[in-house]
Amino acid sequence: MKEVNPQETSRAYAFEMWMNAPMPMVTFFKTLNVSRLVKISRKSGMKFNMLMCWCIGKAARDVKEFYMLPVGGKLMQYDTIAVNTIVANRKGEVSSCDIPFCDDLSLFNQHYLQLTKQVAESCVNHDLTESMVIGTSALAQYEIDGAVGMYSGIFNNPFLIWGKYKRRLLKTTLTVSFQFHHTQMDGAHASRFLDAVQKEINKLRYSQQSSK
C-alpha cells in the first residue's frame, strides 16, 4: 500500500469532484442468476457465501480501479485485494473477517474456512490492512432487496450486501447491492464489475473444484 498523487492517475477528476463531497457513495442494484452456484454448493459441500466471495474477488481482480482507494483524504494504491465477510461469533455478535483473494478456489476455500472459524471462536476481527478490501454482508435468512446509506465517513471500501436467494421455476436469483466511493470508480466501472461477477458465476464448473 502506498500513497499516490491523484493527478497522476486516471482518478484525478473524480478525486477533485468527490473526495470532499458530503455523500460520495453510490449504490447500484443487480439481480444475479446464481443457479450454478447453488448447484455447485450442494454437490461440492462448499459454502454458497464462500463461492459468492470468490466470484466477487475474481471479477474485481482485473479492474484497476479496485486497487485504489481514498483513505484519510489521500488516494492509496494497493498491490493485492481481499474479500471481507461478516461472521457470527460465539458471543452471538458479529465480527469482521478479511480473506486474501487468490485465483485458486480450493485455496481460497481453505483460507475462508480457517479464518472465519478463527474469528468466530476468538471474537477478534481479522483485518488485512495492506490489501484493498471488498466488503460483503450476507443476510441469508432474510428476503431483502439491498441496502443503501452505509457510508460511515471512515471506511470508503466498496461493499456488497445480499439476502436470501429466490428460487424460481427455471433459475435461482439473488439481488445484490453494490456501494462504492465515486472517487474510486465511476458508474461504468461498477456496472462492468457487476457484469463480470455474473460471468464468473456462469464460468464456474464443479469438475474443476474440490471440497477437500
Side-chain angles (χ1 to χ4, degrees):
M1 180 180 68
K2 65 178 181 180
E3 182 183 355
V4 293
N5 182 351
Q7 299 306 315
E8 297 176 357
T9 73
S10 61
R11 305 309 298 158
Y13 178 75
F15 187 91
E16 181 180 343
M17 291 296 295
W18 295 99
M19 192 61 244
N20 295 315
M23 176 45 76
M25 310 303 285
V26 182
T27 301
F28 281 9
F29 292 84
K30 185 175 179 66
T31 299
L32 301 170
N33 182 344
V34 295
S35 303
R36 185 178 297 280
L37 288 195
V38 173
K39 183 178 180 180
I40 290 175
S41 176
R42 289 173 178 168
K43 285 189 173 182
S44 68
M46 291 180 169
K47 295 180 181 294
F48 176 86
N49 187 65
M50 183 282 298
L51 292 170
M52 273 292 296
C53 288
W54 187 80
C55 288
I56 288 166
K58 192 79 160 39
R61 180 197 59 176
D62 296 325
V63 181
K64 64 181 176 59
E65 285 74 19
F66 273 95
Y67 292 87
M68 288 186 286
L69 185 72
V71 179
K74 302 175 181 179
L75 190 62
M76 308 302 292
Q77 187 173 52
Y78 298 80
D79 294 325
T80 59
I81 60 174
V83 183
N84 170 276
T85 188
I86 302 301
V87 178
N89 63 40
R90 63 179 177 81
K91 294 182 179 179
E93 304 294 338
V94 295
S95 298
S96 174
C97 182
D98 294 345
I99 301 143
F101 175 75
C102 61
D103 282 338
D104 186 329
L105 176 55
S106 295
L107 183 57
F108 183 84
N109 183 46
Q110 290 177 28
H111 290 159
Y112 180 97
L113 295 175
Q114 174 190 347
L115 293 172
T116 53
K117 181 180 179 181
Q118 171 188 310
V119 168
E121 293 176 351
S122 68
C123 304
V124 176
N125 294 340
H126 181 263
D127 299 323
L128 296 175
T129 56
E130 292 302 311
S131 294
M132 205 300 299
V133 179
I134 304 167
T136 74
S137 181
L139 301 170
Q141 299 179 15
Y142 306 100
E143 295 183 356
I144 63 169
D145 292 324
V148 295
M150 297 178 291
Y151 180 52
S152 67
I154 300 173
F155 300 107
N156 297 326
N157 301 63
F159 204 98
L160 294 97
I161 288 183
W162 58 86
K164 181 187 294 186
Y165 53 69
K166 300 176 181 178
R167 294 185 178 88
R168 310 208 182 266
L169 184 61
L170 298 177
K171 63 182 179 180
T172 302
T173 62
L174 180 71
T175 300
V176 301
S177 62
F178 174 49
Q179 178 180 270
F180 59 94
H181 198 293
H182 215 329
T183 295
Q184 183 180 28
M185 67 183 74
D186 298 325
H189 301 125
S191 297
R192 286 195 292 268
F193 161 68
L194 291 172
D195 284 348
V197 173
Q198 181 66 74
K199 289 176 182 176
E200 293 299 335
I201 291 172
N202 295 343
K203 289 193 300 184
L204 201 57
R205 296 291 185 273
Y206 172 60
S207 59
Q208 35 181 135
Q209 316 311 334
S210 170
S211 58
K212 297 181 181 179

